[in-house]
Amino acid sequence: MVRSGEEPKPAGRATDGTGPARLRERFLQGEQVDAGVRTSILNSWQRCRSLGLSPDTSDLPYREDFDPGGRIVRAAVPVLDRLQDAFSGSQVNISVADANGTVLLRRFGDPAMARSLPAIQRVPGFVFAEQVAGTNGIGLALAERQLIRVYGAEHFAERSQGSACVAMPVRDPLSGRIEGVLCFGYPRGFEQPALSAAIRRAAENIERRLLGQSSAHERALLRTYLATGGEGGLRHGVALDALADVVHPRDQAILREKAAELISCGQRAAVEVTLPDGRLVTLVSRPMASSSGVRGFAIEAVLPGTAVGEALVLPYQADELPDLAAFSTAPRPARPPITLPSGHLAAAFGATVAPGGDRGPAEAAGTVPAGGGRGGDRGPTGIDGTVTADGGTVTADGGAVTADGDGGAAGGGRSSADGGRGTTDGAGSATGDGRGPAGGGGTADDRAGSPFPARGLVMVGEPHVGAYALAARRRLELLSEASTRIGTTLDVRRTAEELAETAVPRLADFVTIDLPDAVLRGEEAADPLADLRRTVLHGVREGLPFTPPGKRIDFGPTAPQLRCLTRGEAVLEPDLKAAAGWLAQDPEHTARLLDHVHSLIAVPLLARGVVLGIASFYRTGSSFGDDDRSLAQELAARAALSIDNARRYTHERTMVLALQRRLLPHGLPDQDAVEVAHRYLPAESDVGGDWYDVIPLSGARVGLLVGDVVGHGMLSAATMGRLRTAARSFAELDFSPDEVLTHLDNLVGRLDREDPDGKGAGVIGATCLYAVYDPTAQRCLMARAGHPPPALVHPDGTVSYPDLPAGPPLGLGGLPFDAVEIDVPEGSQLVLYTDGLIEDRHRDVDVVLEQLRAALAHPERAPEDTCQAVLDTVAPVHPHDDIALLVARVHALDPGRIAAWELPADPALVGEVRASAMRRLSDWGLDETAFAAELILSELITNAVRHGTGPIRVRLLYGRTLICEVSDASNTAPHLRRAASTDEGGRGLFLVAQLSQSWGTRYLPEGKVIWAECGLDAA
């Protein structure tokens, strides 16, 4: 058994009880007492006050109906006798109380104490439960369910101020239930540290004797089984480990497990168990009772197909069991003895049992004739239905033995089984009601010559012991299930729901989980009680008056939930009707709940020193016990770690998402070339480094960019921001798509090399797709670096994936990128996306691409509708990777808004071109812009004539702005510089920069373009 240690005394406490005396008086006067009193004592005082107890009361309830010969008394008497001898001559008095606080036994170190003490301290029958006696050792040990010390002034009642005590609960080792309390009382000046060790040893001895009582019951049942034999309707059996050639050890474990369930059911039954190899084994459960009154069940296994001519079939599965004679009417011949291995349990009894039930002399070889057997082989506790031989001779207890509780003679007279009667002679043959020999006839599986019988004893035991074994296994199964069921996601709320779903209904009928708002946001709660909110309410049914999810929760100072946070451990309230602290927090609400719930366990959710919330487990019928409290605390501890992991992940994910939102575009630029819609969907598990961008370029062109950084988390998001910034800068320099990817590839390689120790999160890698659309030519130039190809939706609804060279991912270095130019008719849609949209481990990429094709085959949709349709039909339900989606419907620039001229490198022609341009501006109604445009064209054309190479081309584009372009065949580009006062030239580009919104140089495969962009309101 696992016990908590006693609560330490505060530093500086006076062991004579004078320390807390003044604090007790202050408490009784209604003053606030926060320090100087142990938490358990202060909580007990508060409960006493809430119950309306008076410290001056000297009378205690007395019960005349207590059981002076119960289990706890029989187990404790020898232990108390030894304690009385050990404390002989001292002022120590020893008492044992039951689980209700009623004193059952008294012993005194000095017999003279009995004459000087009041009656309530020297005779059994008085009740010392905390509800009636106030703070005392027995009552507080029951309330705290652990080792407790109470010093003089810590007692609530005035009558106990001069004494001290140490008390400890005594538990049934099988059920874990508290059977009683062992208490040492002594004058407050007698304090000795050794008392704690002494009471622990004494309590363990009592518990050991309680366990021995259960083992004795198991031995009595086994003796009855062996003694009755065939005449009582029960077959002689051998333990399953003696059938090693027939039943595999793995199968033995399966049969024992089912046998324990049958014993715990406490009824006659016959059930079929399917073994892993496909064989069916029938387990027969039969009631039996020993002459000493122990009632239990024997579980036998019928093993068909081993040495059987034909299969044995039971026509009933439960409750109604046909007589064994129904299996076969063939006579049962005698079988030779089976020699058991040395140390075998059945051999250790020292006696043999004949087939007819007669006892024979002990055999030196330890042999048992055909019917000898034992149950199980695991140990003495009876938890697995096993028994222990203590070297005694197996007898039929010398009296009546029955199989179904009816009377009958064991060994040589008459026996009754299943309501029938039969007679037996010394040879073991029997007749009765026409059933045949041996009390029901032999079966084919028991015929002579079989090396092993096809029927064997699996287990004997009492139903309540089987129930404890079953409950213990169920607890282990629940913990095993919790390890795989709780924490399957990194979501705080879902993890809390998984805890509740695991506990209901196998541990509790209802579970509520309350978490601070800060924890739900992924933060640590500075004050968990300040913003506590009902997060989960789960139970076997709905409609109970619990606080609904989403509402704030306020627990009173005496509530079990607040006490569990103060202690840092689970708090058990076996009976809520007697839980004063729980009732006092909200009398109206708790009164409504009491009609539905009976018992409560409140457990703090603690992980890594952080308080995450409170889990409350409720039962409607039976009460929780200490084993249930330990199980609830273990479940809560596992769930708390998962919740804390989810909280930390939520915190990190929130930061990464915030960073990513800052690094992604906050809006799309104004331009006329494309109509754009976009979506960004972060992964459920972690945030990656996907990005997109729309970049206005010179000549009314637009750049469309989509990329994906390998990996997830903060590093990927930060790397994404660096790459997006760099990609935008390279694009604004008017590099072609393949050149942009080359520069990005060099950048990624440089980032890897800059890792100072080479032990970063791994080699940085990324994929990218860059497309440049020109609305004047309705063509698109694109290149990709390991990225999925774009989709092109034609105006007629056909969808194609352009044959674009894949290119290596960014960061490999040394490999070129190829750009491809394609025609994009007006009204077409370009769809760019990251691999999170199409790649999923549960789907085939080719199938997904066909789904994408079908979703895009609607050219009439607006880009926004196209984005939503793609996410609804193509995107994974639970994406494991980020998804970036960019849909651009292209437009063409009206040819009527384009003007172009070509001229040789002749300065005399500059004026003619300038005049033609002014007339065109007048036709477009841009007279206000004409002055600035004229100066810009004059400077750019003159520079091209003087410094460039013919032919020279001039183009005007009228869109949102007026764009002036002058191109020539030379690759040299002018540079803006500050001209000195003595310079005759160098001021032309300065004027261009001042008169235009922006200007720059764009390189062509042959030559360059100098462009300048003017606002339409320029004067």
Short mmCIF file of all heavy atoms in Angstrom, two decimals, residues 292-324:
data_model
loop_
_atom_site.label_atom_id
_atom_site.label_comp_id
_atom_site.label_asym_id
_atom_site.label_seq_id
_atom_site.Cartn_x
_atom_site.Cartn_y
_atom_site.Cartn_z
N SER A 292 -17.03 -24.63 7.19
CA SER A 292 -16.87 -23.49 8.10
C SER A 292 -17.67 -22.26 7.66
O SER A 292 -17.58 -21.22 8.28
CB SER A 292 -15.39 -23.12 8.21
OG SER A 292 -14.88 -22.79 6.93
N GLY A 293 -18.42 -22.42 6.56
CA GLY A 293 -19.30 -21.32 6.15
C GLY A 293 -18.74 -20.42 5.08
O GLY A 293 -19.39 -19.44 4.71
N VAL A 294 -17.53 -20.70 4.58
CA VAL A 294 -16.96 -19.87 3.51
C VAL A 294 -17.65 -20.24 2.20
O VAL A 294 -17.67 -21.40 1.80
CB VAL A 294 -15.45 -20.09 3.40
CG1 VAL A 294 -14.88 -19.24 2.27
CG2 VAL A 294 -14.77 -19.75 4.71
N ARG A 295 -18.22 -19.25 1.53
CA ARG A 295 -18.91 -19.49 0.28
C ARG A 295 -18.10 -18.90 -0.87
O ARG A 295 -17.60 -17.78 -0.77
CB ARG A 295 -20.31 -18.87 0.30
CG ARG A 295 -21.23 -19.51 1.31
CD ARG A 295 -22.63 -18.91 1.27
NE ARG A 295 -23.49 -19.59 2.22
CZ ARG A 295 -24.20 -20.68 1.94
NH1 ARG A 295 -24.11 -21.21 0.70
NH2 ARG A 295 -24.96 -21.26 2.84
N GLY A 296 -17.99 -19.67 -1.94
CA GLY A 296 -17.23 -19.19 -3.08
C GLY A 296 -17.61 -19.94 -4.34
O GLY A 296 -18.67 -20.58 -4.41
N PHE A 297 -16.73 -19.90 -5.33
CA PHE A 297 -16.99 -20.53 -6.61
C PHE A 297 -15.73 -21.24 -7.08
O PHE A 297 -14.61 -20.78 -6.83
CB PHE A 297 -17.40 -19.47 -7.66
CG PHE A 297 -18.81 -18.99 -7.50
CD1 PHE A 297 -19.12 -18.03 -6.55
CD2 PHE A 297 -19.82 -19.51 -8.28
CE1 PHE A 297 -20.41 -17.58 -6.39
CE2 PHE A 297 -21.12 -19.07 -8.12
CZ PHE A 297 -21.43 -18.11 -7.17
N ALA A 298 -15.95 -22.37 -7.76
CA ALA A 298 -14.87 -23.09 -8.42
C ALA A 298 -15.07 -22.95 -9.92
O ALA A 298 -16.17 -23.12 -10.44
CB ALA A 298 -14.87 -24.56 -8.03
N ILE A 299 -13.99 -22.62 -10.60
CA ILE A 299 -14.04 -22.44 -12.05
C ILE A 299 -13.25 -23.58 -12.69
O ILE A 299 -12.04 -23.72 -12.44
CB ILE A 299 -13.46 -21.08 -12.48
CG1 ILE A 299 -14.07 -19.95 -11.66
CG2 ILE A 299 -13.68 -20.86 -13.97
CD1 ILE A 299 -15.57 -19.80 -11.85
N GLU A 300 -13.94 -24.41 -13.49
CA GLU A 300 -13.30 -25.51 -14.18
C GLU A 300 -13.29 -25.22 -15.68
O GLU A 300 -14.18 -24.54 -16.20
CB GLU A 300 -14.03 -26.82 -13.93
CG GLU A 300 -13.94 -27.28 -12.49
CD GLU A 300 -14.69 -28.58 -12.29
OE1 GLU A 300 -15.89 -28.64 -12.62
OE2 GLU A 300 -14.08 -29.54 -11.81
N ALA A 301 -12.29 -25.75 -16.36
CA ALA A 301 -12.17 -25.60 -17.81
C ALA A 301 -12.42 -26.93 -18.48
O ALA A 301 -11.81 -27.95 -18.13
CB ALA A 301 -10.79 -25.08 -18.18
N VAL A 302 -13.34 -26.95 -19.44
CA VAL A 302 -13.59 -28.12 -20.27
C VAL A 302 -12.81 -27.91 -21.56
O VAL A 302 -13.04 -26.93 -22.29
CB VAL A 302 -15.10 -28.28 -20.57
CG1 VAL A 302 -15.34 -29.49 -21.46
CG2 VAL A 302 -15.87 -28.42 -19.26
N LEU A 303 -11.87 -28.80 -21.80
CA LEU A 303 -10.94 -28.62 -22.92
C LEU A 303 -11.29 -29.60 -24.04
O LEU A 303 -10.77 -30.72 -24.07
CB LEU A 303 -9.50 -28.84 -22.45
CG LEU A 303 -9.08 -28.09 -21.19
CD1 LEU A 303 -7.69 -28.51 -20.78
CD2 LEU A 303 -9.17 -26.60 -21.42
N PRO A 304 -12.15 -29.27 -24.94
CA PRO A 304 -12.51 -30.19 -26.02
C PRO A 304 -11.38 -30.33 -27.02
O PRO A 304 -10.58 -29.43 -27.22
CB PRO A 304 -13.73 -29.51 -26.67
CG PRO A 304 -13.54 -28.06 -26.37
CD PRO A 304 -12.87 -27.99 -25.03
N GLY A 305 -11.32 -31.49 -27.63
CA GLY A 305 -10.37 -31.70 -28.71
C GLY A 305 -9.03 -32.21 -28.27
O GLY A 305 -8.14 -32.45 -29.09
N THR A 306 -8.79 -32.38 -26.95
CA THR A 306 -7.49 -32.85 -26.49
C THR A 306 -7.44 -34.37 -26.45
O THR A 306 -6.65 -35.00 -27.15
CB THR A 306 -7.18 -32.28 -25.09
OG1 THR A 306 -7.27 -30.87 -25.17
CG2 THR A 306 -5.80 -32.70 -24.64
N ALA A 307 -8.28 -34.95 -25.63
CA ALA A 307 -8.36 -36.41 -25.58
C ALA A 307 -9.81 -36.81 -25.62
O ALA A 307 -10.27 -37.65 -24.88
CB ALA A 307 -7.66 -36.92 -24.33
N VAL A 308 -10.55 -36.20 -26.46
CA VAL A 308 -12.00 -36.34 -26.49
C VAL A 308 -12.41 -36.93 -27.82
O VAL A 308 -11.92 -36.53 -28.88
CB VAL A 308 -12.67 -34.98 -26.27
CG1 VAL A 308 -14.18 -35.15 -26.19
CG2 VAL A 308 -12.14 -34.34 -25.02
N GLY A 309 -13.34 -37.86 -27.79
CA GLY A 309 -13.80 -38.43 -29.03
C GLY A 309 -14.67 -37.49 -29.82
O GLY A 309 -14.65 -37.45 -31.03
N GLU A 310 -15.48 -36.70 -29.11
CA GLU A 310 -16.33 -35.72 -29.77
C GLU A 310 -16.40 -34.48 -28.91
O GLU A 310 -16.19 -34.52 -27.71
CB GLU A 310 -17.74 -36.29 -30.01
CG GLU A 310 -18.40 -36.82 -28.75
CD GLU A 310 -19.77 -37.41 -29.02
OE1 GLU A 310 -20.47 -36.84 -29.88
OE2 GLU A 310 -20.14 -38.41 -28.41
N ALA A 311 -16.73 -33.37 -29.55
CA ALA A 311 -16.73 -32.09 -28.84
C ALA A 311 -17.81 -32.07 -27.78
O ALA A 311 -18.89 -32.61 -27.95
CB ALA A 311 -16.95 -30.95 -29.84
N LEU A 312 -17.48 -31.41 -26.67
CA LEU A 312 -18.46 -31.22 -25.60
C LEU A 312 -19.11 -29.86 -25.77
O LEU A 312 -18.44 -28.86 -25.91
CB LEU A 312 -17.76 -31.30 -24.23
CG LEU A 312 -17.02 -32.61 -23.96
CD1 LEU A 312 -16.32 -32.53 -22.62
CD2 LEU A 312 -17.98 -33.78 -23.98
N VAL A 313 -20.43 -29.83 -25.75
CA VAL A 313 -21.16 -28.59 -25.99
C VAL A 313 -22.08 -28.34 -24.82
O VAL A 313 -22.84 -29.23 -24.41
CB VAL A 313 -21.98 -28.64 -27.29
CG1 VAL A 313 -22.72 -27.34 -27.50
CG2 VAL A 313 -21.07 -28.95 -28.47
N LEU A 314 -22.01 -27.13 -24.27
CA LEU A 314 -22.94 -26.72 -23.21
C LEU A 314 -24.10 -25.97 -23.85
O LEU A 314 -23.90 -24.99 -24.55
CB LEU A 314 -22.25 -25.82 -22.20
CG LEU A 314 -21.29 -26.53 -21.24
CD1 LEU A 314 -20.62 -25.51 -20.36
CD2 LEU A 314 -22.02 -27.54 -20.41
N PRO A 315 -25.33 -26.38 -23.60
CA PRO A 315 -26.47 -25.69 -24.25
C PRO A 315 -26.81 -24.36 -23.60
O PRO A 315 -27.62 -23.63 -24.13
CB PRO A 315 -27.61 -26.70 -24.09
CG PRO A 315 -27.26 -27.47 -22.85
CD PRO A 315 -25.76 -27.57 -22.84
N TYR A 316 -26.24 -24.06 -22.45
CA TYR A 316 -26.55 -22.80 -21.77
C TYR A 316 -25.28 -22.01 -21.54
O TYR A 316 -24.22 -22.57 -21.37
CB TYR A 316 -27.25 -23.08 -20.42
CG TYR A 316 -28.52 -23.89 -20.58
CD1 TYR A 316 -28.47 -25.28 -20.48
CD2 TYR A 316 -29.73 -23.28 -20.82
CE1 TYR A 316 -29.62 -26.04 -20.62
CE2 TYR A 316 -30.89 -24.03 -20.96
CZ TYR A 316 -30.82 -25.41 -20.86
OH TYR A 316 -31.95 -26.15 -21.00
N GLN A 317 -25.42 -20.68 -21.50
CA GLN A 317 -24.25 -19.83 -21.35
C GLN A 317 -24.18 -19.16 -19.99
O GLN A 317 -23.14 -18.70 -19.59
CB GLN A 317 -24.25 -18.73 -22.44
CG GLN A 317 -23.85 -19.25 -23.79
CD GLN A 317 -22.42 -19.73 -23.79
OE1 GLN A 317 -21.51 -19.05 -23.37
NE2 GLN A 317 -22.21 -20.96 -24.23
N ALA A 318 -25.27 -19.02 -19.28
CA ALA A 318 -25.21 -18.32 -18.00
C ALA A 318 -26.43 -18.68 -17.17
O ALA A 318 -27.48 -19.07 -17.71
CB ALA A 318 -25.13 -16.82 -18.19
N ASP A 319 -26.29 -18.51 -15.86
CA ASP A 319 -27.36 -18.65 -14.89
C ASP A 319 -27.87 -20.09 -14.77
O ASP A 319 -27.94 -20.65 -13.71
CB ASP A 319 -28.53 -17.70 -15.19
CG ASP A 319 -28.16 -16.26 -14.94
OD1 ASP A 319 -27.23 -16.03 -14.14
OD2 ASP A 319 -28.77 -15.39 -15.55
N GLU A 320 -28.28 -20.72 -15.86
CA GLU A 320 -28.83 -22.06 -15.79
C GLU A 320 -27.81 -23.04 -16.33
O GLU A 320 -27.50 -23.03 -17.52
CB GLU A 320 -30.13 -22.16 -16.59
CG GLU A 320 -30.81 -23.50 -16.42
CD GLU A 320 -32.14 -23.53 -17.15
OE1 GLU A 320 -32.54 -22.50 -17.70
OE2 GLU A 320 -32.77 -24.59 -17.15
N LEU A 321 -27.29 -23.89 -15.49
CA LEU A 321 -26.24 -24.83 -15.89
C LEU A 321 -26.81 -26.24 -15.87
O LEU A 321 -27.30 -26.70 -14.84
CB LEU A 321 -25.06 -24.73 -14.93
CG LEU A 321 -23.86 -25.59 -15.28
CD1 LEU A 321 -23.20 -25.09 -16.54
CD2 LEU A 321 -22.86 -25.57 -14.13
N PRO A 322 -26.78 -26.96 -16.97
CA PRO A 322 -27.28 -28.34 -16.96
C PRO A 322 -26.38 -29.25 -16.13
O PRO A 322 -25.21 -28.94 -15.90
CB PRO A 322 -27.23 -28.73 -18.45
CG PRO A 322 -26.16 -27.86 -19.01
CD PRO A 322 -26.23 -26.57 -18.25
N ASP A 323 -26.92 -30.34 -15.70
CA ASP A 323 -26.13 -31.28 -14.92
C ASP A 323 -25.01 -31.84 -15.77
O ASP A 323 -25.15 -32.03 -16.98
CB ASP A 323 -27.03 -32.41 -14.41
CG ASP A 323 -26.32 -33.23 -13.34
OD1 ASP A 323 -25.62 -34.18 -13.71
OD2 ASP A 323 -26.47 -32.88 -12.16
N LEU A 324 -23.88 -32.11 -15.13
CA LEU A 324 -22.75 -32.65 -15.87
C LEU A 324 -23.06 -33.98 -16.52
O LEU A 324 -22.38 -34.40 -17.46
CB LEU A 324 -21.54 -32.78 -14.94
CG LEU A 324 -20.92 -31.46 -14.47
CD1 LEU A 324 -19.78 -31.75 -13.51
CD2 LEU A 324 -20.43 -30.67 -15.65
#
